[in-house]
Amino acid sequence: MSLSAVELKQDLGLSLVEFHEEVSSTQEVARKLDAEPPYLVYARRQTTGRGRLGRSWHSEDGGLYLTLVIERFREDWSATITSTYLIHKALSCYVKNLILKWPNDLLYGKVKLAGVLAEAWGYLLGIGVGVNVNQEFLNDELEGHATSLRSICGKLFDMDELITGLVPVLVKGLCELRLKGFGYFHPFIRQLLLTSKHKVRVKYKSKMVSGFLRDLYPDGDALIQTRKGSSIRINAGQLLGGDT
Ligand code: BTN
């Protein structure tokens, strides 16, 4: 365990902080651990990292891959967008003008910098966070679709430092969400979301639809305007993956 992991464990009251050189997915490892929440699993690379809507998440060396496991709570459907907002907050000290895209993306310009995948199992909620940090993106599949902190800032980042900065923002923010409720975060998140002009994709009545986010309500539901001009209201509950 690196020094940062020991500090994180003590300062944030985590029962366990586990680091792996390589895992299939930190979500899978976290799910199999017999530990008391909150706990954290992070890895240098993943062989089968996954994202929302069944997509894979490229997880070679150089990226940040972690899963924070907390206890489920009344408004746990709001964990996806609130965690994405918290990551936005944590990374804003490195990059200005990051875009928060509903329901789980952080973009720089039109390309993706980070994503969140929240999944529930039993009484637990695993918040998976992937951030492109030191990768160069020579991979054809990703070029033009993804960027990294390194590409944006033109320098290499110290992963320990980044994790030690980001995890407390996430842990404390999620505690606040549990205590104060989504209503507390809603105005900040809504304001950021409505400045994003990017198309979103979501499942609606078992079909994939894409459109533009026109509003986010205090109960977490989103109003999407489809290409054909109709408005649909997406229930926040469906954004939580896993055995819900
Ligand atoms: C997305 O943008 O669709 C979500 C990406 C989430 C990726 C992270 S990396 C750590 C954790 N383990 C996974 O397999 N996925 C999440």
Side-chain angles (χ1 to χ4, degrees), residues 24-27 46 48-53 55 57 59 64-67 104-105 112 114-117 128-130:
S24 53
S25 154
T26 53
Q27 296 290 98
Q46 304 182 111
T48 48
R50 54 174 202 265
R52 199 173 70 94
L53 302 173
R55 296 191 190 111
W57 183 259
S59 306
L64 181 155
Y65 313 108
L66 67 80
T67 298
N104 72 326
D105 289 327
K112 185 143 168 168
V116 168
L117 178 70
V129 179

Side-chain angles (χ1 to χ4, degrees), residues 54-80:
R55 296 191 190 111
S56 59
W57 183 259
H58 290 262
S59 306
E60 64 275 21
D61 273 22
L64 181 155
Y65 313 108
L66 67 80
T67 298
L68 172 72
V69 181
I70 60 173
E71 211 171 320
R72 291 188 70 172
F73 56 101
R74 201 168 50 87
E75 293 182 322
D76 59 7
W77 44 261
S78 61
T80 304

